[in-house]
């Protein structure tokens, strides 16, 4: 029989499953960041015993990512009260709309909830600004006004 018609298994034809990418740079986290990582690990470990084989492989892959993130987590110091830094909460005005945001670690980010990763362009533009300052962001028309730095 020709080699072209032989099929050992479906596994050899699947796309390889690479590890989840780790964001570049330091793994800065807020005081809540370590607790979020620990909760995600506990959730995955609780699911693992009852999962089917394919799901267990996905869980193992996710656990490798989260264990790495836990080991490399660096709790950032409290931000200064008068300048935007990692961990700062602030109220900004963009396009005439005010919204509260907080600068957090990559794994904590949830833009819809106002949690912006410190590596995001918006956060990088705001870091170092003070209350009442306007910040220009490359590629964006109009300035961002820092209305208040919140406790």
């Amino acid at each position: 029989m020709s080699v072209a018609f032989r099929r050992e298994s479906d596994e050899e034809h699947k796309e390889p499953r690479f590890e989840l990418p780790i964001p570049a740079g330091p793994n800065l986290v807020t005081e809540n960041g370590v607790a979020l990582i620990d909760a995600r690990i506990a959730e995955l470990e609780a699911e693992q015993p009852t999962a089917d084989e394919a799901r267990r492989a996905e869980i193992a892959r996710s656990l490798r990512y989260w264990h790495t993130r836990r080991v490399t987590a660096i709790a950032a110091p409290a931000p200064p009260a008068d300048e935007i830094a990692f961990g700062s909460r602030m109220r900004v005005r963009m396009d005439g709309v005010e919204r509260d945001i907080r600068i957090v670690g990559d794994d904590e980010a949830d833009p819809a909830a106002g949690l912006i990763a410190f590596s995001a362009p918006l956060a990088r533009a705001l870091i170092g600004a003070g209350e009442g300052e306007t910040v220009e962001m490359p590629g964006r028309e109009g300035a961002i006004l820092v209305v208040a730095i919140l406790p």
Side-chain angles (χ1 to χ4, degrees), residues 46-64:
E47 181 186 352
Q48 197 169 26
T50 60
D52 63 24
E53 186 177 337
R55 179 66 184 136
R56 271 198 311 273
E58 285 296 317
I59 291 170
R61 180 175 175 242
S62 292
L63 281 171
R64 286 190 297 275

Side-chain angles (χ1 to χ4, degrees), residues 73-95:
I74 302 167
D82 60 342
E83 180 180 299
I84 296 174
F86 182 91
S88 292
R89 289 182 57 236
M90 72 227 66
R91 179 166 294 130
V92 296
R93 184 176 302 131
M94 296 184 293
D95 302 324

